Amino acid sequence: AEMAKKAAASQAVADHLRPEHRWVGIGSGSTVVYVVQEIAKWDKTITDKMSFVSTGDQSRLLIEESGLRLGALSQMPKNTNLDVSFDGADEVDPDLNLIKGGGACLLQEKVVAVASQKFICVADYRKTSEGLCTKWTQGIPVEVLPCAATRVLDELKRLGSIDPSIRQGGSQKAGPVVTDNSMWIIDAPFAPLQPHSKRSSASPSSTGAWSAETLAERLIAIPGVMETGLFTGMVTKDSTKGSQKPVAVYL
Ligand code: DER
């Protein structure tokens, strides 16, 4: 699987990073490490002109340790997007909706992904599924305000989550995992979501399964939820043509 991740990462960089790019988003997780390793091989006269925006402490350290220049969203010219962002995913459905947040970095990852002209998700074959929550059974990661966590748990159960729980640090840290934003993560398992491409003509409710888009809207509306790991409709806005291309996913 490491070979697949490495190959997918180098292909993604070859296909989508351009020498004229100036703002590049770097996600979190293990696959994106290979993306940065590829970029770090480029001639410094090119990469020294680029700024790399991180999506958390791991991403920031990865950029710094690779000798690439760190940039912040606040430094970007007004009304401009990052040229391209690279990130991983925990699961990818046929409509290219994603579950992210296995690494608890989903909040800044989504901000950077949405701020990017093109969002490249590098996910090897193990991540593809027929519907979100099919292969990724740990639950949809939800970043929450710690003081609201118990009320969010109750609301998640009302929405059909099966045994949602606050992510614990286990042997790494007593008590809950604390994110780079000083928040907690709740992992909320749901029955497999129904991708649009698999929707029967019957109304969605007849199957009882949530669509990723609808569930994402319901989750983000819960007071105390800061962000969710459902990345839906993450299309690449090709502003020149006004068309929208699906996010490029390397499987
Ligand atoms: O936490 C995240 O969203 C990461 O991007 C994660 O989903 C990808 O992790 P991996 O590249 O180590 O599989």
Side-chain angles (χ1 to χ4, degrees), residues 144-178:
V144 294
L145 194 65
C147 66
T150 50
R151 303 191 67 83
V152 173
L153 284 170
D154 291 343
E155 182 59 21
L156 288 167
K157 288 173 195 156
R158 272 194 289 276
L159 291 175
S161 178
I162 308 124
D163 196 21
S165 60
I166 294 167
R167 191 180 296 181
Q168 299 296 316
S171 61
Q172 315 288 315
K173 178 193 176 293
V177 164
V178 177

Side-chain angles (χ1 to χ4, degrees), residues 194-211:
Q194 277 244 328
H196 280 297
S197 50
K198 292 272 179 301
R199 271 201 175 295
S200 61
S201 55
S203 75
S205 54
S206 66
T207 63
W210 287 102
S211 75

Side-chain angles (χ1 to χ4, degrees), residues 79-136:
N79 301 320
T80 59
N81 285 342
L82 288 96
D83 298 294
V84 62
S85 286
F86 298 90
D87 202 346
D90 297 304
E91 191 174 28
V92 185
D93 81 0
D95 299 328
L96 300 183
N97 294 312
L98 314 175
I99 284 185
K100 287 177 58 48
C105 297
L106 62 103
L107 176 50
Q108 292 186 46
E109 286 175 338
K110 193 178 282 189
V111 169
V112 169
V114 172
S116 305
Q117 200 58 32
K118 190 182 273 192
F119 173 60
I120 306 303
C121 173
V122 187
D124 63 81
Y125 60 92
R126 295 167 304 155
K127 312 293 183 71
T128 54
S129 83
E130 285 313 299
L132 297 183
C133 301
T134 309
K135 268 189 185 172
W136 180 261

Side-chain angles (χ1 to χ4, degrees), residues 24 26 36 52-55 58-71:
V24 180
I26 299 296
V36 173
F52 294 84
V53 179
S54 63
T55 53
Q58 181 231 352
S59 169
R60 179 170 52 74
L61 290 168
L62 178 60
I63 292 164
E64 289 172 345
E65 286 160 8
S66 305
L68 298 170
R69 184 181 43 225
L70 201 57

